[in-house]
Amino acid sequence: MSYVDEVIERVVKENPNEPEFHQAVKEVLDSLRPVVDANEKAFRRDALLERLVNPERQIKFRVPWIDDNGQVHVNTGYRVQFNSAIGPYKGGLRLHPSVNLGIIKFLGFEQIFKNSLTGLPIGGGKGGSDFDPKGKSDREIMAFCQSFMSELCKYIGADTDVPAGDIGTGAREIGYMFGQYKKLRGLFEGVLTGKGLSYSGSLARTEATGYGLLYIVEEMLKCHGKTIEGKTITVSGSGNVAIYAIEKAQQLGAKVVTCSDSTGWVYDPDGIDVAALKEIKEMKRQRLTEYKNYRPNAEYHEGKGVWNIKSDIALPCATQNELGLEDAKTLVANGVIAVAEGANMPTTAEATDYFQANGVFFLPGKAANAGGVATSALEMSQNSERLQWSFKKVDAKLKGIMVDLYHNIDEAAKRYGFEGNFVVGANIAGFEKVVDAMNAQGIV
Ligand code: NDP
């Protein structure tokens, strides 16, 4: 049995009931086969893959908090510090009822390679809780965030582990967590990113993941003689990533006709009204059913359906495994030319294979949504030098990072004879830097 297959088998056996983690490990290791095969003896001797797939540390803790009626609730908190070979652990905190250790491990594992691809000195980690922020009062959110940070603060710091936002963790939650960290540790330091602008956050961090997604798609199309201008785009999700992907796509001259949330989706043939979307989701925290009040010509549908709408480019920006094989077949039949993942692992392995087999440009999340964490690293730089850069400066750096990242993964794919396969390119390019750093630092 090959080394890769052996390690995949062990991961499945030793981490039962963690299907998302198995999926992520298989996806990454499968595409690393050319590099592993070429170095099998040394990698086996050094147990390199075993060290890569085992987190350096995983922390699980109790999070008790009191609701507005005096009832005590207990949630579970997680922080998985996966790999610090190239820098302090970095990765978001997800607050969603579906969160479990396997999901945090899948996200932390992917984060290692994504962070490496940014070219910045950040290691991989991820955390979160099965707490559901939906329907909670501000005071309840604060109570949860303070309790969560009371424990988490023992394990993080500006030079050790710097968490950020993710699903369910936006500016409000980061603010409450930062306040609690500062109170308990007595330190005003860059321990979290995605902070508010009045307390050392970075301009353009809010926009970064969505904008970065469009910058890399733009570069990829440009290199193939195409543009975003005039294209029809389908987007899923209506959170942080989706909103700013839609905004930048429209600035670049595309028409975005869909968005969705966890209960339904919108088709707006005239193009999504971003100002309305921001008001509904960012300010009022309402459901997408409200969208029709702003745009009477738009359609609202319960359930899933975004991928049935004809488009040139599809940008899944909600959550993992939201685009399956049947969706891929529909998109291809409708003439899609490019798919880029704004979310983490939104496309199933079968759907990814189908896109690639049918000549669709496919950009995996670890490359396509890396603009968020890259800008978080820029926020860390600003915090270290106690400065705040202009929006223009951060946005220009973000664009430069995404353009370089595209060429880096394109070149890595070509180097191993997989031209145009950006999944292979991203995994190999991300892996090479991490392995180099791990080798330099010995068996630790
Ligand atoms: P948000 O919480 O802001 O938005 C998530 C969106 O996805 C919401 O519209 C939400 O609907 C929808 N959604 C969440 N879970 C489900 C589900 N199980 N089924 C259907 N829809 C769902 O999160 P973000 O925009 O920050 O994150 C979206 C994705 O992008 C995630 O995969 C995240 O890991 C990834 N990502 C985020 C980055 C960032 O900087 N924010 C950086 C890189 C990746 P509803 O409104 O109903 O909850």
Side-chain angles (χ1 to χ4, degrees), residues 94-96 98 106-107 111 114 126 134 164-170 205-206 208-210 236-243 260-264 281 286-288 304 316-320 322 341-346 365 369-373 376:
R94 178 172 293 191
L95 301 182
H96 193 272
S98 64
F106 121 62
L107 291 163
Q111 197 83 41
K114 181 191 306 193
K126 198 82 185 187
K134 278 205 190 78
D166 191 71
I167 290 178
T169 306
R205 174 60 188 91
T206 306
T209 310
S236 64
S238 53
N240 173 260
V241 179
I243 288 173
S260 65
D261 64 15
S262 47
T263 48
K281 286 291 174 184
Q286 292 172 327
R287 314 302 311 159
L288 270 184
K304 291 181 64 177
C317 297
T319 192
Q320 64 269 9
E322 51 156 317
E341 296 185 321
N344 284 315
M345 210 169 72
N369 69 35
V373 74
S376 275

Side-chain angles (χ1 to χ4, degrees), residues 33-238:
R33 282 180 199 275
V35 192
V36 177
D37 290 349
N39 297 279
E40 177 153 350
K41 203 168 159 214
F43 283 5
R44 265 187 194 275
R45 184 197 58 213
D46 295 343
L48 188 89
L49 296 185
E50 288 87 339
R51 284 190 286 141
L52 199 66
V53 298
N54 275 293
E56 290 177 16
R57 191 173 300 101
Q58 55 192 44
I59 302 147
K60 183 177 175 190
F61 51 96
R62 183 180 74 187
V63 189
W65 58 278
I66 305 174
D67 74 15
D68 288 344
N69 299 316
Q71 175 66 50
V72 176
H73 298 263
V74 179
N75 287 100
T76 305
Y78 302 92
R79 186 70 184 166
V80 175
Q81 297 179 329
F82 225 115
N83 190 304
S84 62
I86 65 169
Y89 310 105
K90 181 96 199 81
L93 297 170
R94 178 172 293 191
L95 301 182
H96 193 272
S98 64
V99 163
N100 56 41
L101 183 61
I103 288 183
I104 299 299
K105 278 165 67 180
F106 121 62
L107 291 163
F109 185 66
E110 288 278 304
Q111 197 83 41
I112 303 169
F113 307 99
K114 181 191 306 193
N115 292 2
S116 167
L117 286 174
T118 65
L120 300 169
I122 39 179
K126 198 82 185 187
S129 171
D130 55 359
F131 173 76
D132 187 359
K134 278 205 190 78
K136 304 290 190 299
S137 69
D138 273 354
R139 198 211 59 79
E140 289 171 331
I141 297 283
M142 184 169 72
F144 170 82
C145 290
Q146 290 181 339
S147 178
F148 182 78
M149 185 51 84
S150 296
E151 185 61 24
L152 186 68
C153 74
K154 299 169 187 167
Y155 309 102
I156 61 176
D159 293 314
T160 51
D161 183 355
V162 184
D166 191 71
I167 290 178
T169 306
R172 175 181 57 171
E173 292 74 18
I174 291 288
Y176 291 145
M177 290 182 195
F178 183 78
Q180 184 73 350
Y181 179 89
K182 183 165 61 80
K183 183 181 167 83
L184 294 175
R185 300 293 299 269
L187 289 172
F188 193 112
E189 62 170 2
V191 66
L192 291 163
T193 56
K195 299 185 292 300
L197 294 177
S198 58
Y199 61 98
S200 77
S202 174
L203 286 156
R205 174 60 188 91
T206 306
E207 294 83 355
T209 310
Y211 278 24
L213 175 65
L214 270 296
Y215 291 147
I216 193 169
V217 172
E218 184 185 31
E219 184 65 15
M220 175 182 71
L221 293 182
K222 193 174 108 189
C223 292
H224 293 86
K226 300 179 195 305
T227 60
I228 287 183
E229 196 178 356
K231 299 287 186 297
T232 299
I233 300 185
T234 40
V235 167
S236 64
S238 53

